[in-house]
Amino acid sequence: MNRAVMTLIITAVSTVSYAQSSFITVCQDGTADFETITAALGAARNNGDNEEIRIHFGTYSTASGESFPLLIDFPIELSANDPTDKPVILGNNETSVIWVKSAPVRISGFEITGGVGNLMDYGTDGGGICLDLAHAPVGNVQIDYCHIHTNRCPAYVTWDGCGGAIYCGRVPVGGEIFINDCVIENNHVPGRGGGIFIARRSAVRITATDIKDNTADDFGGGIYQFEDSDVEIHLSRIIRNEVRGDLDEPGTTGLGGGIAVCAGISMPLEVRFVVSGCDIAENIARRRGGGVYVSGSQYGICDINDSVISQNHVPALGEPTYEPDGQGGGIFIAAGAAISVSRSTLYWNDGRREGGGVYIDNLGHATFDETKIEGNESRLRGGGVYLGDNATLICFGSDFIGNATGLDGGAVLFNNMSQADFQNTLFLYNASARGSGGGLYVGGPGAGAMLSHCTLVGQFTATGKSAIYVD
């Protein structure tokens, strides 16, 4: 991972326990108990015991006798007979491939593709897997060693499209969803969560998983987290996802290329979002938050630790620019929201207009602890960090190195009433190409910066107003 020393993180991953008195086998050549997964699920459901269904390699589709969605409404383990040779479950392009309505459940070792979330006709969101757990018994759902790709949720049959690969919905208190060692790629929704949509009252743990090359139009190219939910992401990669935006709705779309965390939209419900040991890279948002977009997090916890956020991009909807667009290449913190970033690196992110590394909107707050903000760029203001009106920033032992902007504030730009406290912070070789404040630009009434035991070296501006400029 780019320019970062990654801390080893040991994550407790829950597993699902089953009575292993018997198991059912599925193979298309007639040598197993059943030739279809559909038939095996029917038999296990009628049996009434917790069982495992082991599925041999093959492509399981309507052509081979499957009926979709594959409904799991009782406790079961559905697993590949040989996890190194994944069976392919090929959906019918009309509904979700797998619909889970019970717990505990484990789905392990499959390639899942060809699904279409269809809330209107079938009651399912999530193209690949719909976890519809509102009325399930308390228990965990575990998805591991799966390759979930090329699924979608069209807007005309879902709530604007939710969860191209997986929809995580309403886990009963005490239950959790675990997604481990999976690859989630090339899924699409016109709405929210190109890869994964996490609904209210969901507790989701994602570990050692690649979420890549997924797309959405509105929020969260890779992951969308809604309010009143609890999410942890460990040792995973969120890369090359894109939220494309909609020119017909320029003010409400194109937010959070990699991840969008949206709390407090309809009411002040808490959210918990914790990332550790992750690589969030090469994601694109057409409007705001190339890597991560956060709103409403003042109602809970939003932490990023031991991670790299790099080479994310906000090109602006409708190039070359739409007036409010192109903000927060690495992270966008919406009005009033808050985030804490520790022992991490924000490297080489690009905000086309403002906040190449981080954009903190009005009344927003960020804390950086032992974090490096390096090589980020913006065309107008705030190469490293942009502070909106009344925004606040606290930095402990952090570095601003080689950030650049076209106009003002190579490292940090302050707006009206914004405040920052820098302790033991290094500012090295930051630049403003045509404006003022290669290091800090403190502009507007009431803006202020406090520096304690800080070092400023080699800041540059063409105007000569280089290290700290106070307007």
Side-chain angles (χ1 to χ4, degrees), residues 106-130:
R106 183 185 183 200
I107 300 168
S108 180
F110 298 99
E111 181 179 341
I112 299 170
T113 187
V116 175
N118 191 332
L119 187 64
M120 181 180 297
D121 297 326
Y122 292 90
T124 63
D125 269 313
I129 301 174
C130 177

Side-chain angles (χ1 to χ4, degrees), residues 2-230:
N2 291 333
R3 302 194 183 188
V5 177
M6 199 53 55
T7 302
L8 179 62
I9 299 170
I10 300 174
T11 304
V13 178
S14 175
T15 57
V16 182
S17 299
Y18 297 88
Q20 297 297 327
S21 57
S22 63
F23 60 86
I24 295 172
T25 58
V26 178
C27 189
Q28 293 174 330
D29 64 5
T31 60
D33 297 318
F34 297 94
E35 296 183 10
T36 68
I37 303 170
T38 303
L41 284 169
R45 182 182 297 109
N46 293 332
N47 181 278
D49 294 330
N50 288 338
E51 297 194 36
E52 177 185 1
I53 300 176
R54 297 181 186 175
I55 301 170
H56 289 257
F57 178 76
T59 298
Y60 295 84
S61 65
T62 53
S64 64
E66 300 296 348
S67 178
F68 294 104
L70 297 174
L71 177 61
I72 300 177
D73 55 359
F74 60 99
I76 195 70
E77 178 173 354
L78 198 67
S79 63
N81 184 66
D82 179 359
T84 65
D85 204 3
K86 294 184 182 351
V88 179
I89 307 179
L90 175 61
N92 61 3
N93 280 304
E94 293 181 5
T95 184
S96 304
V97 179
I98 299 174
W99 186 5
V100 179
K101 301 183 70 175
S102 187
V105 166
R106 183 185 183 200
I107 300 168
S108 180
F110 298 99
E111 181 179 341
I112 299 170
T113 187
V116 175
N118 191 332
L119 187 64
M120 181 180 297
D121 297 326
Y122 292 90
T124 63
D125 269 313
I129 301 174
C130 177
L131 303 178
D132 180 10
L133 304 173
H135 304 293
V138 175
N140 297 336
V141 173
Q142 183 168 323
I143 302 168
D144 52 28
Y145 307 108
C146 287
H147 182 196
I148 307 171
H149 69 92
T150 323
N151 304 282
R152 58 194 174 92
C153 284
Y156 62 88
V157 291
T158 65
W159 178 54
D160 209 17
C162 296
I166 303 173
Y167 174 89
C168 303
R170 296 188 177 185
V171 181
V173 175
E176 295 176 303
I177 295 168
F178 294 88
I179 302 171
N180 307 320
D181 295 285
C182 290
V183 175
I184 297 169
E185 64 177 329
N186 292 320
N187 303 282
H188 173 70
V189 295
R192 309 179 184 200
I196 302 173
F197 181 100
I198 299 165
R200 287 176 180 162
R201 297 192 291 278
S202 295
V204 180
R205 312 290 179 243
I206 301 170
T207 303
T209 290
D210 280 0
I211 300 169
K212 60 183 182 179
D213 301 309
N214 303 285
T215 57
D217 288 345
D218 294 349
F219 294 83
I223 300 171
Y224 176 86
Q225 178 183 357
F226 201 24
E227 59 198 12
D228 195 22
S229 59
D230 181 350

Side-chain angles (χ1 to χ4, degrees), residues 185-335:
E185 64 177 329
N186 292 320
N187 303 282
H188 173 70
V189 295
R192 309 179 184 200
I196 302 173
F197 181 100
I198 299 165
R200 287 176 180 162
R201 297 192 291 278
S202 295
V204 180
R205 312 290 179 243
I206 301 170
T207 303
T209 290
D210 280 0
I211 300 169
K212 60 183 182 179
D213 301 309
N214 303 285
T215 57
D217 288 345
D218 294 349
F219 294 83
I223 300 171
Y224 176 86
Q225 178 183 357
F226 201 24
E227 59 198 12
D228 195 22
S229 59
D230 181 350
V231 174
E232 296 180 9
I233 308 172
H234 302 288
L235 303 172
S236 296
R237 299 194 307 165
I238 297 93
I239 57 175
R240 297 192 305 273
N241 302 284
E242 181 176 359
V243 59
R244 296 171 173 172
D246 186 342
L247 284 169
D248 294 329
E249 300 180 77
T252 58
T253 64
L255 308 175
I259 302 169
V261 181
C262 297
I265 293 177
S266 58
M267 59 189 74
L269 297 174
E270 289 191 3
V271 65
R272 181 174 179 269
F273 171 73
V274 177
V275 171
S276 62
C278 290
D279 192 353
I280 303 171
E282 300 179 60
N283 302 286
I284 297 174
R286 288 291 168 179
R287 290 193 62 235
R288 295 172 175 173
V292 180
Y293 174 91
V294 176
S295 69
S297 56
Q298 68 269 35
Y299 301 117
I301 296 171
C302 189
D303 293 342
I304 298 176
N305 307 310
D306 304 291
S307 295
V308 175
I309 301 172
S310 67
Q311 301 179 71
N312 300 286
H313 181 46
V314 185
L317 180 63
E319 292 277 20
T321 184
Y322 172 79
E323 183 61 27
D325 289 351
Q327 299 166 329
I331 302 173
F332 184 95
I333 304 165

Side-chain angles (χ1 to χ4, degrees), residues 373-377 400-404 410 427-431 459:
I373 301 95
E374 179 178 1
N376 303 285
E377 297 182 356
F400 289 80
I401 302 174
N403 301 286
F427 297 88
L428 180 66
Y429 301 136
N430 301 286
Q459 321 304 315

